[in-house]
Amino acid sequence: MRLLFIGDIVGRSGRAAVAQQVPRLRARWGLDFVIINGENAAGGFGLTEAIFEEFLQAGVDAVTLGNHAFDQREALTFIERQPRLVRPANYPPGTPGRGATIVENSKGARLLIVNLLGRIFMDALDDPFAALDRELTAYSLGSGCHAVVVDIHAEATSEKWALGHFADGRASLVVGTHTHVPSADHRILPGGTGFVTDVGMTGDYDSVIGMEKDEPLRRFTRRIPSGRFEPALGPATLCGVAVEISPRGLAKSISPVRIGGLLNGAVPSFWE
Ligand SMILES: [Fe+2]
Ligand SMILES: [Fe+2]
């Protein structure tokens, strides 16, 4: 099974990369599933239903979120009617939407997707480890699903590594999102779970983590907000992680994917 996870889509530039690249990569690599993090897709903050539908049209199977999940207030309602949209599972009970979902492809392969929010240097939600344990108890590899992807949306590298080890052997891939910077530590953990601390954003890297530079610089130097954060509009680098998954649901190969924009390119040698 071939899976591509693409990191935080930032604004119009990131959306253009999805529209251009996802159909092409699906065909070129024979992808079974494409999952993206969409928390910054609408002007850098949250996700609208129209944008979510555009992602599905481009061939995306499911969209995960993060700390910006509900920045667009319409997400509080449309998330209820979109089973392919997942917000962090460790929001308090009663939060609209779902923290995990199963998508099935045309070959009958079933993929469980779990989204979690870290607690270090972020608004502390419920325990992400306990939330993940609950989801992996309800659906385990080989019983209810063929593969499991966990998006740990977190600031702290330590928390992401700990969660990777916590899930090792029970997930096909634990992928970090949120920092908008790709880390170089993609690997397969001892129990067979593919892992990367952060997949990076899909946006313009001539920016401050996807945002046009002027306002972040003003705030860092003068400490007084003087405008809005706006997404940078230069060409995006699509940043993702490609994973070949065994019949048992564990990772056989993992590779970074970087296409377009300013970063050095990378594609999975095992599919090219
Ligand atoms: Fe993000
Ligand atoms: Fe985030």
Side-chain angles (χ1 to χ4, degrees):
M1 188 188 301
R2 294 179 166 197
L3 183 142
L4 175 64
F5 185 101
I6 303 171
D8 307 32
I9 313 300
V10 181
R12 197 183 309 160
S13 154
R15 299 195 315 262
V18 170
Q20 283 164 17
Q21 297 294 340
V22 168
R24 189 182 76 84
L25 296 177
R26 269 208 99 105
R28 181 176 179 87
W29 293 339
L31 296 170
D32 293 291
F33 293 104
V34 178
I35 313 299
I36 69 175
N37 183 297
E39 70 148 9
N40 308 109
F45 298 93
L47 179 66
T48 64
E49 190 163 31
I51 292 172
F52 174 75
E53 297 279 7
E54 278 172 30
F55 289 150
L56 297 188
Q57 293 270 310
V60 168
D61 295 289
V63 177
T64 57
L65 293 166
N67 54 308
H68 293 295
F70 299 115
D71 285 1
Q72 304 291 326
R73 293 192 57 81
E74 66 172 277
L76 288 164
T77 48
F78 83 77
I79 197 170
E80 293 284 3
R81 56 176 176 262
Q82 297 287 4
R84 292 173 181 270
L85 180 57
V86 191
R87 47 85 175 153
N90 51 329
Y91 269 106
T95 301
R98 64 205 63 70
T101 200
I102 287 188
V103 293
E104 189 169 333
N105 73 2
S106 55
K107 297 178 197 161
R110 286 161 62 83
L111 171 70
L112 172 70
I113 301 141
V114 185
N115 190 195
L116 300 164
L117 203 64
R119 292 186 293 185
I120 300 178
F121 310 131
M122 306 186 86
D123 266 355
L125 299 187
D126 295 345
D127 178 359
F129 293 82
L132 179 58
D133 198 53
R134 276 195 297 277
E135 301 298 344
L136 295 181
T137 302
Y139 298 96
S140 58
L141 283 176
S143 132
C145 61
H146 301 100
V148 175
V149 170
V150 179
D151 172 359
I152 170 67
H153 193 84
E155 194 78 53
T157 50
S158 58
E159 193 173 20
K160 292 170 169 178
W161 278 39
L163 195 106
H165 291 299
F166 183 79
D168 191 16
R170 293 197 289 167
S172 317
L173 172 69
V174 172
V175 56
T177 58
H178 177 70
T179 71
H180 291 198
V181 177
S183 64
D185 61 342
H186 57 279
R187 62 196 172 113
I188 298 172
L189 300 177
T193 295
F195 175 78
V196 65
T197 300
D198 207 297
V199 67
M201 68 166 177
T202 294
D204 176 7
Y205 278 76
D206 183 23
S207 67
V208 174
I209 61 168
M211 294 293 148
E212 204 280 320
K213 288 170 275 188
D214 291 349
E215 179 59 15
L217 277 167
R218 278 194 294 268
R219 293 197 196 185
F220 278 118
T221 55
R222 299 184 187 174
R223 311 306 300 173
I224 301 169
S226 53
R228 288 162 45 127
F229 287 130
E230 301 282 356
L233 294 176
T237 302
L238 180 145
C239 278
V241 64
V243 189
E244 176 86 37
I245 297 169
S246 74
R248 289 180 52 217
L250 296 172
K252 276 166 64 180
S253 313
I254 183 167
S255 167
V257 173
R258 293 185 301 272
I259 297 172
L262 293 176
L263 300 192
N264 285 340
V267 290
S269 58
F270 46 86
W271 294 343
E272 281 284 337

